[in-house]
PDB file of all heavy atoms in Angstrom:
ATOM      1  N   ALA A 137      -1.206 145.917 140.581  1.00  0.00           N
ATOM      2  CA  ALA A 137       0.029 146.387 141.042  1.00  0.00           C
ATOM      3  C   ALA A 137       1.196 146.316 140.074  1.00  0.00           C
ATOM      4  O   ALA A 137       2.133 147.113 140.119  1.00  0.00           O
ATOM      5  CB  ALA A 137       0.401 145.720 142.340  1.00  0.00           C
ATOM      6  N   GLY A 146      12.610 149.396 140.796  1.00  0.00           N
ATOM      7  CA  GLY A 146      13.004 148.509 141.839  1.00  0.00           C
ATOM      8  C   GLY A 146      11.755 147.724 142.324  1.00  0.00           C
ATOM      9  O   GLY A 146      10.619 148.068 141.966  1.00  0.00           O
ATOM     10  N   ARG A 147      11.956 146.754 143.169  1.00  0.00           N
ATOM     11  CA  ARG A 147      10.857 145.941 143.675  1.00  0.00           C
ATOM     12  C   ARG A 147       9.904 146.809 144.525  1.00  0.00           C
ATOM     13  O   ARG A 147       8.711 146.513 144.624  1.00  0.00           O
ATOM     14  CB  ARG A 147      11.515 144.900 144.558  1.00  0.00           C
ATOM     15  CG  ARG A 147      10.524 143.765 144.838  1.00  0.00           C
ATOM     16  CD  ARG A 147      11.062 142.537 145.594  1.00  0.00           C
ATOM     17  NE  ARG A 147       9.832 141.825 145.956  1.00  0.00           N
ATOM     18  CZ  ARG A 147       9.148 141.110 145.180  1.00  0.00           C
ATOM     19  NH1 ARG A 147       9.515 140.913 143.960  1.00  0.00           N
ATOM     20  NH2 ARG A 147       8.053 140.557 145.605  1.00  0.00           N
ATOM     21  N   GLY A 148      10.474 147.892 145.134  1.00  0.00           N
ATOM     22  CA  GLY A 148       9.647 148.789 145.916  1.00  0.00           C
ATOM     23  C   GLY A 148       8.416 149.308 145.161  1.00  0.00           C
ATOM     24  O   GLY A 148       7.392 149.520 145.784  1.00  0.00           O
ATOM     25  N   VAL A 149       8.537 149.471 143.843  1.00  0.00           N
ATOM     26  CA  VAL A 149       7.454 149.939 143.031  1.00  0.00           C
ATOM     27  C   VAL A 149       6.173 148.990 143.182  1.00  0.00           C
ATOM     28  O   VAL A 149       5.095 149.433 143.373  1.00  0.00           O
ATOM     29  CB  VAL A 149       7.835 150.099 141.527  1.00  0.00           C
ATOM     30  CG1 VAL A 149       6.635 150.323 140.654  1.00  0.00           C
ATOM     31  CG2 VAL A 149       8.930 151.080 141.391  1.00  0.00           C
ATOM     32  N   LEU A 150       6.472 147.731 143.165  1.00  0.00           N
ATOM     33  CA  LEU A 150       5.438 146.740 143.228  1.00  0.00           C
ATOM     34  C   LEU A 150       4.795 146.723 144.577  1.00  0.00           C
ATOM     35  O   LEU A 150       3.613 146.667 144.783  1.00  0.00           O
ATOM     36  CB  LEU A 150       5.984 145.317 142.893  1.00  0.00           C
ATOM     37  CG  LEU A 150       6.708 145.194 141.544  1.00  0.00           C
ATOM     38  CD1 LEU A 150       7.214 143.767 141.437  1.00  0.00           C
ATOM     39  CD2 LEU A 150       5.684 145.428 140.447  1.00  0.00           C
ATOM     40  N   VAL A 151       5.693 146.796 145.614  1.00  0.00           N
ATOM     41  CA  VAL A 151       5.182 146.696 147.003  1.00  0.00           C
ATOM     42  C   VAL A 151       4.358 147.986 147.269  1.00  0.00           C
ATOM     43  O   VAL A 151       3.220 147.850 147.844  1.00  0.00           O
ATOM     44  CB  VAL A 151       6.327 146.604 147.949  1.00  0.00           C
ATOM     45  CG1 VAL A 151       5.876 146.724 149.422  1.00  0.00           C
ATOM     46  CG2 VAL A 151       7.160 145.392 147.698  1.00  0.00           C
ATOM     47  N   ALA A 152       4.812 149.135 146.807  1.00  0.00           N
ATOM     48  CA  ALA A 152       4.030 150.361 147.034  1.00  0.00           C
ATOM     49  C   ALA A 152       2.726 150.374 146.230  1.00  0.00           C
ATOM     50  O   ALA A 152       1.665 150.747 146.785  1.00  0.00           O
ATOM     51  CB  ALA A 152       4.865 151.544 146.611  1.00  0.00           C
ATOM     52  N   ASN A 153       2.768 149.849 144.950  1.00  0.00           N
ATOM     53  CA  ASN A 153       1.547 149.769 144.250  1.00  0.00           C
ATOM     54  C   ASN A 153       0.499 148.833 144.869  1.00  0.00           C
ATOM     55  O   ASN A 153      -0.631 149.135 144.935  1.00  0.00           O
ATOM     56  CB  ASN A 153       1.807 149.242 142.779  1.00  0.00           C
ATOM     57  CG  ASN A 153       2.306 150.304 141.910  1.00  0.00           C
ATOM     58  OD1 ASN A 153       2.357 151.511 142.248  1.00  0.00           O
ATOM     59  ND2 ASN A 153       2.803 149.875 140.717  1.00  0.00           N
ATOM     60  N   ALA A 154       0.980 147.705 145.393  1.00  0.00           N
ATOM     61  CA  ALA A 154       0.110 146.679 146.000  1.00  0.00           C
ATOM     62  C   ALA A 154      -0.526 147.344 147.229  1.00  0.00           C
ATOM     63  O   ALA A 154      -1.755 147.193 147.421  1.00  0.00           O
ATOM     64  CB  ALA A 154       0.876 145.470 146.328  1.00  0.00           C
ATOM     65  N   ALA A 155       0.307 148.059 147.931  1.00  0.00           N
ATOM     66  CA  ALA A 155      -0.334 148.735 149.201  1.00  0.00           C
ATOM     67  C   ALA A 155      -1.348 149.747 148.850  1.00  0.00           C
ATOM     68  O   ALA A 155      -2.442 149.799 149.436  1.00  0.00           O
ATOM     69  CB  ALA A 155       0.786 149.290 150.053  1.00  0.00           C
ATOM     70  N   LYS A 156      -1.021 150.527 147.796  1.00  0.00           N
ATOM     71  CA  LYS A 156      -1.890 151.575 147.354  1.00  0.00           C
ATOM     72  C   LYS A 156      -3.285 150.975 146.874  1.00  0.00           C
ATOM     73  O   LYS A 156      -4.409 151.414 147.255  1.00  0.00           O
ATOM     74  CB  LYS A 156      -1.302 152.341 146.237  1.00  0.00           C
ATOM     75  CG  LYS A 156      -2.120 153.493 145.649  1.00  0.00           C
ATOM     76  CD  LYS A 156      -1.505 154.236 144.511  1.00  0.00           C
ATOM     77  CE  LYS A 156      -1.870 153.656 143.191  1.00  0.00           C
ATOM     78  NZ  LYS A 156      -1.285 154.276 142.048  1.00  0.00           N
ATOM     79  N   TYR A 157      -3.206 149.947 145.991  1.00  0.00           N
ATOM     80  CA  TYR A 157      -4.443 149.413 145.471  1.00  0.00           C
ATOM     81  C   TYR A 157      -5.188 148.622 146.560  1.00  0.00           C
ATOM     82  O   TYR A 157      -6.475 148.578 146.494  1.00  0.00           O
ATOM     83  CB  TYR A 157      -4.229 148.535 144.238  1.00  0.00           C
ATOM     84  CG  TYR A 157      -3.816 149.387 143.085  1.00  0.00           C
ATOM     85  CD1 TYR A 157      -2.521 149.343 142.507  1.00  0.00           C
ATOM     86  CD2 TYR A 157      -4.742 150.299 142.495  1.00  0.00           C
ATOM     87  CE1 TYR A 157      -2.197 150.160 141.415  1.00  0.00           C
ATOM     88  CE2 TYR A 157      -4.390 151.083 141.425  1.00  0.00           C
ATOM     89  CZ  TYR A 157      -3.113 150.987 140.882  1.00  0.00           C
ATOM     90  OH  TYR A 157      -2.754 151.802 139.810  1.00  0.00           O
ATOM     91  N   ALA A 158      -4.511 147.979 147.467  1.00  0.00           N
ATOM     92  CA  ALA A 158      -5.201 147.266 148.564  1.00  0.00           C
ATOM     93  C   ALA A 158      -6.028 148.231 149.394  1.00  0.00           C
ATOM     94  O   ALA A 158      -7.145 147.896 149.879  1.00  0.00           O
ATOM     95  CB  ALA A 158      -4.188 146.479 149.392  1.00  0.00           C
TER      96      ALA A 158
END
Side-chain angles (χ1 to χ4, degrees):
R147 196 173 166 79
V149 172
L150 302 177
V151 177
N153 280 350
K156 179 181 95 178
Y157 288 113

